[in-house]
Amino acid sequence: MDLALRSDRTRPEPDPERAALILYTSGTTGAPKGVVISRRSIAACLDALADAWAWTPDDLLVHGLPLFHVHGLVLGVLGPLRHGSRLDHVGRPQPARYAAAGGTMYFGVPTVWSRVAAAPESARALRGARLLVSGSAALPAAVFADLAELTGHRIVERYGMTETLITVSARADGPRLPGTVGVRLPGVRTRLVDERGGPVPADGEAMGELLVAGPTLFSGYLNRPDADAASTTGDGWFRTGDVATIGPDGSHRIVGRASTDLIKSGGYRIGAGEIEDALLAHPGYGRRP
């Protein structure tokens, strides 16, 4: 490839509001829906992550995630293209392949990081990295602790949806606490509401449905005005369907899906993920009877 060659044609930059991708939801609460994502939303998300993660052209991103989801495609491929960094897609996200890549940033989902934590030699090889990032689901606190001990890194957790891209993340220069997904990205707004739509205090304890707004939101569902109306408030906030808490410092904790993951007991609302974390932290976890 001759890097000095240039095209003899130029084309105008497309409208930022033009659709760049149509990605389909996972369908956890119904049939999958086509999510129309604009060029503007993708650029806003990736630029905000560059700010949060200090992402530069000097980085080598390593991952083995599927290339048809937001995590693997938008963050994992369009991100390096946007920021001019290198990418090593290792195929299958196996611990040994991650260990051999020599990257500065690594992306994974909790299943991947659990496998890395269970392979100490591979995990220790990641000590030379700059940032380990987990997303797409909640990372068990036990895996967070194991990775911190083996790799020397407190993993960065972030939160987003197909409809919103990434809206909340721990920062490279900020605290990284197990069970939390960080703070709002630049330009993003979040708030909590109760079952009647009333405000919920950001005291780190009170739970409410998480609503988000900002430049990373999608343009709407493909040919589904009914779904658009159901998922958006009258004043333009997107209803995530996730129950969360927000601390006084702006840190977010995702408790679970409002429709499936909440258990009411003795007047309290308990997230299924909290019970899972408690079981994983039990001294008897992993021992055979």
Side-chain angles (χ1 to χ4, degrees):
M1 181 181 298
D2 186 347
L3 297 180
L5 292 178
R6 294 292 183 269
S7 172
D8 59 359
R9 298 181 183 181
T10 59
R11 296 180 182 274
E13 185 73 9
D15 186 337
E17 300 303 322
R18 182 176 174 178
L21 298 171
I22 300 174
L23 298 178
Y24 277 78
T25 63
S26 60
T28 54
T29 57
K33 298 183 288 290
V35 176
V36 182
I37 304 174
S38 70
R39 295 168 54 87
R40 169 192 51 79
S41 296
I42 293 173
C45 173
L46 295 176
D47 290 349
L49 289 177
D51 176 84
W53 297 345
W55 194 342
T56 75
D58 295 327
D59 279 307
L60 169 58
L61 172 61
V62 177
H63 72 87
L65 302 173
L67 302 183
F68 47 83
H69 293 153
V70 165
H71 200 168
L73 175 59
V74 177
L75 276 61
V77 175
L78 300 185
L81 289 171
R82 177 77 173 174
H83 302 310
S85 61
R86 293 174 295 155
L87 166 65
D88 183 354
H89 190 282
V90 297
R92 294 184 178 276
Q94 297 170 349
R97 295 186 180 185
Y98 271 36
T104 62
M105 294 174 61
Y106 287 81
F107 288 174
V109 297
T111 301
V112 171
W113 292 122
S114 296
R115 292 170 181 166
V116 171
E121 185 175 347
S122 294
R124 294 188 187 99
L126 303 186
R127 284 183 170 270
R130 186 178 67 78
L131 216 61
L132 308 182
V133 181
S134 181
S136 300
L139 183 73
V143 177
F144 183 103
D146 288 345
L147 287 170
E149 181 179 352
L150 291 167
T151 69
H153 293 285
R154 297 176 69 83
I155 202 162
V156 165
E157 292 190 69
R158 88 302 182 280
Y159 167 80
M161 302 176 66
T162 307
E163 293 92 337
T164 67
L165 302 183
I166 309 305
T167 52
V168 176
S169 177
R171 295 182 58 89
D173 57 358
R176 308 169 201 174
L177 304 174
T180 66
V181 291
V183 296
R184 293 183 294 269
L185 291 178
V188 172
R189 292 173 291 152
T190 62
R191 65 186 176 103
L192 301 176
V193 297
D194 60 24
E195 294 173 350
R196 299 181 182 85
V200 172
D203 59 7
E205 297 293 335
M207 298 180 187
E209 182 184 3
L210 180 64
L211 273 57
V212 300
T216 67
L217 264 61
F218 71 135
S219 303
Y221 292 110
L222 183 65
N223 302 324
R224 289 291 305 274
D226 57 325
D228 290 341
S231 64
T232 308
T233 66
D235 51 355
W237 291 78
F238 178 76
R239 304 186 59 177
T240 67
D242 286 324
V243 173
T245 67
I246 302 176
D249 60 352
S251 61
H252 292 61
R253 179 173 63 93
I254 306 301
V255 178
R257 295 294 291 173
S259 58
T260 58
D261 295 336
L262 281 187
I263 303 164
K264 294 183 179 180
S265 176
Y268 291 93
R269 294 202 296 176
I270 307 166
E274 295 176 303
I275 297 175
E276 181 181 19
D277 272 346
L279 292 173
L280 290 173
H282 191 278
Y285 172 73
R287 295 179 182 174
R288 293 183 179 274

